Amino acid sequence: MTPLLEFKDKLKRFYAQYEIFVQAVMRFVIVLVCMLLIKKNIGYMDKLQTGTVMLAVSFLSAFLPLGLVILILAVIIIANIYALSMPLAGVVLGILLVMFILYYRFTPKEAIMVVMVPMMFYLKIPYIIPIVVGLVSTPIAIVAVAFGTITYYMLFIISSNAAIINNMEADSPIKQINYYVTLIVENKEMYYTIAIFTAILLVVYFIKRMSINNSWTTAIVVGGSFELVAFILLSMVLKSQTPVVSIVVGTVISVLLSMVLQFFVFSLDYSRTEHTQFEDDDYYYYVKAVPKINVTAPQINVKRINAQRARRVKEKNR
């Protein structure tokens, strides 16, 4: 455990020293992954799918505010959908505008969720979203998680029905719009997924705030267990195309990654828990104090001596 704690301390000091550069690299990687996922799933505009364009957009995004990065990704998504169907591009643009207006109104600090939720869906580990958000954020983040989930299903419906949409008559945009909107409105899986994410996020949030030992670990295990059961039942009821094995593997990976996050963000030594109590004129206070686990890597000082001095020391010891 000690080497891991020393490694954690080194990472914290490295991040504190190079915070700007680390954030830029992380933003570059996230945007590049998003561009690759867009290319794979809705890459209908060839000009935006070249390596040069993807690297240029990712590099530029590394130095821009997160809100502007989300706007750039939204424009790229709309452009790809426009290459498939102009009416659908208008519908998606309208929905995204409504979500962005509400998102900036309620959860401007949770902008990253709008990007990360669809990304986790495409990486087959969306189950990590409510667990991690419940650990590091507040219930208001449910809005951003819901918007990210809706964004994923909008894109998933387009990619799954691209052939049908493409075969529709070009001179009947109303038909394309009605078909697409119907698929979104009648998508029960999307509604149930948002409901499950909301429930798990709240469960994790309230458990991790409880005054119990290993509250974060308990929240992760309980949230992951409930999520596993909920999505298996959802898959069985709706006869989803997602296999049960994929749900189990995705949930286990999500729980393990959440444990790693806990180690780097919230490590406590419950063996040294202290309880104290005091009072004032109006209240009596009971306080439980749990120290954080902090281990600083030992500094090794090597003292060099020349050969002549070493010989003198050796003769003196004789």
Side-chain angles (χ1 to χ4, degrees), residues 95-276:
I95 296 175
L96 290 179
L97 285 176
V98 172
M99 289 196 300
F100 283 157
I101 292 172
L102 294 176
Y103 139 73
Y104 276 116
R105 172 65 177 85
F106 294 104
T107 57
K109 296 181 180 179
E110 309 294 341
I112 190 64
M113 287 296 103
V114 180
V115 176
M116 295 302 295
V117 173
M119 182 189 298
M120 294 299 104
F121 267 103
Y122 283 120
L123 295 177
K124 309 301 181 183
I125 51 173
Y127 319 101
I128 194 175
I129 294 297
I131 298 177
V132 169
V133 176
L135 290 175
V136 302
S137 189
T138 60
I140 193 63
I142 292 172
V143 178
V145 172
F147 287 170
T149 304
I150 294 172
T151 301
Y152 164 74
Y153 277 100
M154 286 196 308
L155 303 181
F156 176 75
I157 289 172
I158 290 176
S159 61
S160 301
N161 299 273
I164 299 176
I165 295 172
N166 197 35
N167 290 332
M168 289 182 178
E169 297 180 4
D171 57 348
S172 59
I174 301 300
K175 185 177 179 180
Q176 291 183 346
I177 293 174
N178 288 338
Y179 178 74
Y180 179 62
V181 172
T182 301
L183 290 176
I184 295 177
V185 173
E186 296 182 355
N187 194 318
K188 295 181 180 180
E189 183 176 342
M190 180 181 69
Y191 300 131
Y192 286 127
T193 299
I194 293 175
I196 293 173
F197 279 178
T198 300
I200 299 301
L201 191 154
L202 293 175
V203 167
V204 172
Y205 175 76
F206 286 112
I207 291 179
K208 67 110 176 187
R209 288 177 57 86
M210 295 175 64
S211 180
I212 59 175
N213 289 352
N214 302 299
S215 60
W216 277 47
T217 302
T218 304
I220 293 172
V221 174
V222 172
S225 301
F226 284 174
E227 196 170 23
L228 175 62
V229 173
F231 276 104
I232 289 178
L233 291 176
L234 178 62
S235 177
M236 295 171 60
V237 171
L238 298 182
K239 298 180 179 179
S240 174
Q241 297 180 353
T242 305
V244 174
V245 175
S246 177
I247 297 175
V248 174
V249 173
T251 305
V252 171
I253 294 175
S254 300
V255 169
L256 293 177
L257 291 177
S258 300
M259 292 289 188
V260 173
L261 174 69
Q262 175 203 355
F263 174 78
F264 284 100
V265 176
F266 192 78
S267 297
L268 299 181
D269 185 0
Y270 289 97
S271 64
R272 296 190 293 130
T273 301
E274 298 180 4
H275 297 270
T276 185

Side-chain angles (χ1 to χ4, degrees), residues 279-295:
E279 62 178 310
D280 58 19
D281 294 337
D282 300 315
Y283 293 96
Y284 207 93
Y285 300 92
Y286 297 87
V287 179
K288 177 181 179 181
V290 184
K292 294 182 178 180
I293 301 177
N294 289 313
V295 176

